[in-house]
Amino acid sequence: MTAASQDAPVVIIGAGLAGLTVALHLADTVPVVILAKRELTEAATAWAQGGIVGVLGSDDSIESHVRDTQDAGAGLVDEAAARFIAERSAAAVGWLVEQGVPFTPDDSGPMGLHLTREGGHAVRRIAHAADATGKAIHDQLLDVARRHPNITLRERWMALDLITSRHAQRDEPTRCYGVYALDMDHQRVETLAARAVVLATGGAGKVYRYTTNPDTATGDGIAMAWRAGCRV
């Protein structure tokens, strides 16, 4: 959602892989503020273990990956989405390598990576960091973000709502001007103006009593988007 002011930073709600990736792609040209509602290390990204899929090997192809995805999805897969991801998977893994993510190496493997095979895949296409891939990725991107001069990380800042035309009482198409956020350590609500707001808040797994999702997966971003008029 885009704001009117181009002097304000981009505010990214969520400090997992999605939020950090967006931040690192933007920060060379615009200031970025990342909000984490608990400690920065608590994102769901770090809980992912097995690996990350990429069409990397000479024995692999986009068509094979798309076909495997459709088969594993029992006919419920959006082919356009599966193809979009498969076509960009190698570049995404390559970018992570450039950021210094310590994937398990193999001198004879594509990009120097050891690839493994998991259920539903016809070939070996899983890049991994031992069996703690999510944590390795998150730790490294967080370290890169901390060192970037144009990125501000705010820990224990919980986004409460998007500031839209409704709050400003303006008769105009819905626009987003920023975020109301609770600074949990000081117990005060702050108003953050933003040139754009990115919702990278993860899922809503904690609506279930028993789940492997972390406690932070409470669907905050979905609710904020819905209140702002977004399609959910």
Side-chain angles (χ1 to χ4, degrees), residues 12-178:
I12 299 173
I13 307 173
L17 174 56
L20 292 172
T21 298
V22 174
L24 291 171
H25 277 85
L26 293 178
D28 287 341
T29 55
V30 296
V32 175
V33 175
I34 300 176
L35 306 183
K37 71 175 177 182
R38 293 197 182 178
E39 281 66 30
L40 289 162
T41 55
E42 287 193 39
T45 298
W47 292 46
Q49 293 179 306
I52 185 167
V53 178
V55 180
L56 305 173
S58 59
D59 61 341
D60 203 358
S61 69
I62 301 298
E63 294 304 323
S64 175
H65 189 190
V66 172
R67 186 167 55 251
D68 288 349
T69 304
Q70 290 177 307
D71 289 346
L76 300 177
V77 173
D78 183 320
E79 182 180 350
R83 187 171 301 278
F84 182 93
I85 293 169
E87 289 173 347
R88 289 156 179 79
S89 60
V93 173
W95 182 79
L96 291 172
V97 171
E98 292 173 2
Q99 304 312 305
V101 174
F103 289 110
T104 298
D106 181 350
D107 292 340
S108 63
M111 295 187 193
L113 303 176
H114 180 266
L115 301 182
T116 188
R117 180 179 173 184
E118 294 184 352
H121 296 281
V123 299
R124 297 163 71 96
R125 59 167 71 106
I126 315 295
H128 63 103
D131 196 31
T133 309
K135 186 176 188 306
I137 293 174
H138 191 249
D139 286 351
Q140 181 60 24
L141 293 193
L142 193 53
D143 184 57
V144 175
R146 281 178 167 134
R147 290 186 276 109
H148 199 294
N150 226 18
I151 295 177
T152 300
L153 293 159
R154 295 190 173 175
E155 197 170 49
R156 293 176 54 78
W157 276 59
M158 182 177 180
L160 302 176
D161 209 1
L162 301 176
I163 303 171
T164 65
S165 311
R166 172 172 59 88
H167 298 92
Q169 297 184 336
R170 296 182 179 181
D171 185 16
E172 63 182 13
T174 300
R175 304 184 69 176
C176 183
Y177 295 94

Side-chain angles (χ1 to χ4, degrees), residues 13-19 43-45 199-205 213-214 216-223:
I13 307 173
L17 174 56
T45 298
L199 293 171
T201 56
N213 286 260
T216 53
T218 52
D220 306 35
I222 298 170

